[in-house]
Amino acid sequence: MSSALGFGIVGWDDQAQAAFRALGAVDGAEVRVAGASEMGDTSALQEMFSARFVQEPEAVIESDDVEAVFVAAAAGAREALVHQALAARKHMLMPAPLALDAETALRLLEAASEAGVALCLTTPWPVDPALVVVRRQIRADLFGQALLWQSVCMASSEVADWRIAVATDLGLFHYLTGVPATGAMARRVSGSEGAEVILLNVAFEHGAAGVYTVGARVVGAQEMTAVRGLVASRGQVDLSGEPRAVRGFSTEDAPAGAWQPIRYVGRRADLEDVIAGFVQRVRAGDAACDREALLEVPRILDAARRSLDDGGTAIVSI
């Protein structure tokens, strides 16, 4: 058997196929089995690739040559499979968020800890050199106290679950600042033409606030256009595209009040980099995880869902 870390892929949607391609480019990793109930006839895939293709996700998890599993199914629809894989002592990699509520997320973390396996998300910021630099500057107090995080994500198509759409920005704010949330309030705004917008307000410690807007079926919107940025007491950081920042005081490379690109070394991280880091962790026997970071987003989403159910009239404490 190859010395590469053997992966199984559960699901065969766009995310699963992206993982399949990325795994093929990562040294020390290879896909051994891929399977989903919706795959249908797999004979053509079998001829093209060395991996085995099956129609039962459980067969992927139960395969003896699979050491790690990528689950493409979204949070809210994958928990039973993830628990099954953790019980089989398979390392797990999946899209954010870990879960849609804190109780489910905690159960998954406890199961992974008991099994002694790594449980990770495909969020790129821990291995993205640009965001690592932004985080370092924010935590070095170069921008002062975080005041406001703004995020706008609009789609002209249907959004499967607004909580999943907003999870990335919720996690990114916590990664950059480390400031925990204390409460959330969400309300739904619907239009006569079928457009639907979710407005999420999050209260953070030290008086910081987050304003997140997720829109579906919005005429004229690109497939997923995003605006994201941080307003702080002594400057701003814009992460809508390539990171740039402005500060209220002059430095050697940036005069006060002038927007400047964030300088970093290397290329921006992609799924290959995330998988490579995951493989390195598994091979090093590092199953530790930042529990509070992984629980932060489910806690917010939990409070936001309860607020939405109550009509979005008050902040729900976390």
Side-chain angles (χ1 to χ4, degrees), residues 82-214:
V82 175
H83 275 292
Q84 182 181 350
L86 292 174
R89 299 186 182 279
K90 310 291 186 180
H91 302 282
M92 299 298 302
L93 184 62
M94 65 194 79
L98 179 60
L100 298 178
D101 63 89
E103 183 179 347
T104 301
L106 187 57
R107 285 200 302 268
L108 292 175
L109 288 169
E110 289 175 346
S113 177
E114 183 177 343
V117 297
L119 177 63
C120 300
L121 304 178
T122 57
T123 46
W125 37 80
V127 293
D128 187 308
L131 296 177
V132 168
V133 170
V134 173
R135 181 179 192 263
R136 188 179 301 129
Q137 292 186 359
I138 290 173
R139 298 204 178 200
D141 201 32
L142 295 186
F143 299 96
Q145 181 178 323
L147 300 176
L148 176 66
W149 176 269
Q150 296 174 301
S151 168
V152 179
C153 184
M154 295 290 173
S156 58
S157 59
E158 191 78 27
V159 172
D161 192 318
W162 68 270
R163 294 171 296 180
I164 295 172
V166 79
T168 295
D169 279 292
L170 291 170
L172 179 56
F173 175 81
H174 188 264
Y175 168 77
L176 293 174
T177 68
V179 179
T182 59
M185 179 174 68
R187 63 189 180 96
R188 178 179 284 108
V189 181
S190 299
S192 60
E193 300 301 321
E196 181 179 76
V197 176
I198 298 292
L199 303 176
L200 171 62
N201 291 355
V202 181
F204 297 96
E205 287 187 359
H206 313 304
V211 180
Y212 305 81
T213 307
V214 180

Side-chain angles (χ1 to χ4, degrees), residues 223-287:
E223 199 46 42
M224 285 304 279
T225 58
V227 173
R228 58 174 60 98
L230 173 69
V231 177
S233 59
R234 296 199 300 273
Q236 298 183 54
V237 180
D238 177 13
L239 298 173
S240 303
E242 277 294 302
R244 63 190 190 115
V246 58
R247 293 200 290 266
F249 58 92
S250 296
T251 59
E252 291 182 2
D253 61 344
W259 283 94
Q260 298 286 337
I262 296 287
R263 293 185 177 182
Y264 62 93
V265 177
R267 60 177 180 80
R268 300 300 301 273
D270 55 20
L271 187 55
E272 290 180 25
D273 299 299
V274 174
I275 292 173
F278 176 76
V279 170
Q280 186 176 21
R281 285 190 56 185
V282 170
R283 285 306 189 209
D286 180 9

